[in-house]
Amino acid sequence: MKSATSRRFAKALIEVGQEDGAYQDYGKQLRTALAVFTGAPELYKVLLNPMHKIEERQGLIDKLSESLSLSPSVGRFLKILVNTRNVKRLEDISAAYARLEDELAGRIRATVESPVDLPPELAEEIRKKLGEASGREVLVSFSKNPALIGGLVIKLDNTILDGSLKTQLELMKEKILEGVV
């Protein structure tokens, strides 16, 4: 439910951004506002506290919008989040917005986990192969997970390709145990 609400808010903002021809700028501004909120968690407390009048909370958003040079549309969007008590969902909304941006741009995101840091040539080869397989531009983030022992785990959109040695060993263990029982 939470993600559906966040997606609706993100979709509303991206539609306004498309009409204004500035949806990419709005995405950057949304991520900038999120960075401020993440860096100052007390802002959430003030904006969600009904002890502060709604005018005071909106004034705080106005000051924030001005100091960050946010567009009027993004500023109004943040005010709506405050009014509806959904400002606490800003991180989820920002993530949903990024996914919508990727869809509009024909991009897809992938994460690749490996037990060691991959050499740049191999990382580029993986990026290239994922792009060929998906037929889209792929933005890849790489992370190190020593628990994998060997191999890779690739998460591409809603698909997980697990070629890790750890998983292969676990599957082998299950098959051995099935034969014993």
Side-chain angles (χ1 to χ4, degrees), residues 29-125:
Q29 292 173 29
L30 194 59
R31 288 184 287 278
T32 299
L34 175 61
V36 169
F37 279 90
T38 303
E42 61 276 1
L43 266 176
Y44 281 123
K45 291 177 185 165
V46 170
L47 293 173
L48 290 168
N49 188 341
M51 297 286 288
H52 299 282
K53 292 181 181 173
I54 193 70
E55 294 81 16
E56 292 172 0
R57 291 183 272 160
Q58 288 183 344
L60 184 58
I61 291 295
D62 286 337
K63 288 178 185 171
L64 178 72
S65 297
E66 187 180 326
S67 68
L68 296 177
S69 301
L70 301 180
S71 69
S73 294
V74 174
R76 280 191 304 276
F77 178 76
L78 291 175
K79 281 183 176 181
I80 290 168
L81 293 180
V82 169
N83 290 347
T84 60
R85 301 188 53 79
N86 283 294
V87 72
K88 60 185 175 261
R89 296 185 176 167
L90 190 56
E91 187 172 350
D92 292 336
I93 293 168
S94 182
Y97 192 96
R99 285 190 296 277
L100 292 170
E101 268 184 302
D102 289 344
E103 284 176 26
L104 287 173
R107 292 186 301 254
I108 191 169
R109 292 183 187 268
T111 57
V112 176
E113 285 184 72
S114 62
V116 295
D117 290 326
L118 298 176
E121 311 81 42
L122 182 56
E124 185 54 39
E125 183 67 23

Side-chain angles (χ1 to χ4, degrees), residues 156-169:
L156 183 65
D157 207 15
N158 292 326
T159 306
I160 298 175
L161 306 168
D162 190 340
S164 67
L165 188 54
K166 176 183 177 186
T167 300
Q168 300 305 317
L169 291 171

Side-chain angles (χ1 to χ4, degrees), residues 128-148:
K128 183 178 168 188
K129 294 287 185 192
L130 289 173
E132 290 171 4
S134 68
R136 296 161 75 182
E137 178 189 356
V138 180
L139 302 174
V140 184
S141 61
F142 294 91
S143 63
K144 187 171 141 180
N145 182 353
L148 296 178

